[in-house]
Amino acid sequence: MMLRTGFVRASGYAHKVRRVLFAVTRKKVDPKEVVRAAGELNQRIFEKLGELGVDKDDVIRVTVPFTIEEGTIRWDYEKLKIEVYRKSEERNLALAMEEVEERERELDERIKELEELALHLKKTSEEILEKLEELKQEHTSLKLRAEG
Amino acid sequence: MMLRTGFVRASGYAHKVRRVLFAVTRKKVDPKEVVRAAGELNQRIFEKLGELGVDKDDVIRVTVPFTIEEGTIRWDYEKLKIEVYRKSEERNLALAMEEVEERERELDERIKELEELALHLKKTSEEILEKLEELKQEHTSLKLRAEG
Amino acid sequence: MMLRTGFVRASGYAHKVRRVLFAVTRKKVDPKEVVRAAGELNQRIFEKLGELGVDKDDVIRVTVPFTIEEGTIRWDYEKLKIEVYRKSEERNLALAMEEVEERERELDERIKELEELALHLKKTSEEILEKLEELKQEHTSLKLRAEG
Amino acid sequence: MMLRTGFVRASGYAHKVRRVLFAVTRKKVDPKEVVRAAGELNQRIFEKLGELGVDKDDVIRVTVPFTIEEGTIRWDYEKLKIEVYRKSEERNLALAMEEVEERERELDERIKELEELALHLKKTSEEILEKLEELKQEHTSLKLRAEG
């Protein structure tokens, strides 16, 4: 299989690697392993970017083949490829990617708020079930959880 | 401590014992133990009712002291008292308790429907959280569950 | 049609009339009309109980025929019947009805708590939809409410 | 005020205009007016893009000043500016914007699924309140909706 980040600002490659890896391995690999493997690859990319003198405002594109063996992701580092598009040369690309990053930050904020509401919702629905169980215990003849 | 069922139709003593035991031991005893202890006492009451020749339409009142020792309910069977009010002698009482039982059956039905909706609700709120987690994995930089 | 309260403490006849009227007219009459008609009948019963010198601890049983005409409940007051069971004569019945009233008060408390949670739940689910709509407006190409 | 779409594929300008307009006028203008004003501007942009011979794969950037008068958005068409970056000249920019569009389509799909779950959730919470109201009517003395 192949991981392709597509165009991404150097400043944001790590999250992009992880997102794309989640998408491409969806339902095939445990999320913890995706997080681990992304972290491992990102460390390698980080070193390479240093060697290449890439700036955070430059745009890069990473491709790397990998295999999944018994639930573990193995990167073929030999074939890791990093393309670099310097801001000084591809100014519009760099600016466009900056805009994309800004919109992603806003999306993150929205999703975070949604998640807080959804967690609150789950808590409330559990409280309702708890109250119903107590009501069943003291006011009904219905089968209780404790009767399994 | 003392368990007092109050007036109850003989046909419904077992559920009444359990309900009252839940109410009187609330938050002090594990629900499983309440269910077990109620079952144990109900067996004893069942035998006594047989000995006394009590009919399901008669009304009874049970009182029995108990202690809670290390989370376990111990009945003081020596002091178990069962008062019997024969339908032939206390007709209005018997009829009133029949009405109470009928209304409790209707309440049971309502509570059961509510519980089904509440379980459905919990499932939906979990699905929403699941979808949000997938969305976070593939579209955001937010902290994931797998990062614990 | 016939409204039959069954046995009820004189102190609690008004709520019992309303509950039974709701049950017997279910889905046939607007709730506001049920509340109104119960209030009207209860006023009449109140006067009769005064005339009869009924005490709040006595038990009564009310029956009264009624018709539903164009959504309005009309009581046949000519046939209103109130049976009275004095506590001094039917002591066990009076005590049993007292117990029933006490348990109903506890049930009320539980249902009230459940309702507060359910209202909170509805509010949270509406907030989630609101957040999703904002997210759709600013981050997606999906059809919006405003496009209705 | 100023609407700036930032870089966007010509194929997707209309949705981008709307999204940005929602973001920039947030809480200041009724959503229906945002939809209307975006539609109006998009029609004008559409005509201009035809005149300019812009292809759907080209990237554009639109800026236009506007005012809000009594809740209505008025575009200053005199100052409408459309910058065009032909794919033939800015290939990487065009490819990057294609990737962005693809990811947005996936996000749309996710948000749509979330919304369906949230609507389902709202329906369930309303059903729970409805069941509770019926239970209150027939089994409690609690204040009902019909009592206002």
Side-chain angles (χ1 to χ4, degrees), chain A residues 20-32:
Chain A
V20 173
L21 188 57
F22 263 111
V24 82
T25 64
R26 203 177 174 187
K27 316 254 181 216
K28 288 190 208 119
V29 180
D30 183 78
K32 278 191 196 306

Side-chain angles (χ1 to χ4, degrees), chain A residues 1 6 27 36 45 49 54 70-71 78 90 107-108 121 148:
Chain A
M1 300 173 82
K27 316 254 181 216
R36 185 208 62 76
I45 295 170
L49 294 181
V54 172
E70 294 175 14
E78 294 299 310
E90 295 255 14
L107 179 65
D108 280 13
L121 182 84

Side-chain angles (χ1 to χ4, degrees), chain C residues 90-107:
Chain C
E90 294 255 14
R91 188 171 169 73
N92 287 330
L93 177 63
L95 292 175
M97 288 300 95
E98 222 169 295
E99 289 174 13
V100 168
E101 201 183 69
E102 172 57 23
R103 295 199 54 241
E104 282 172 353
R105 266 197 296 271
E106 288 162 18
L107 179 65

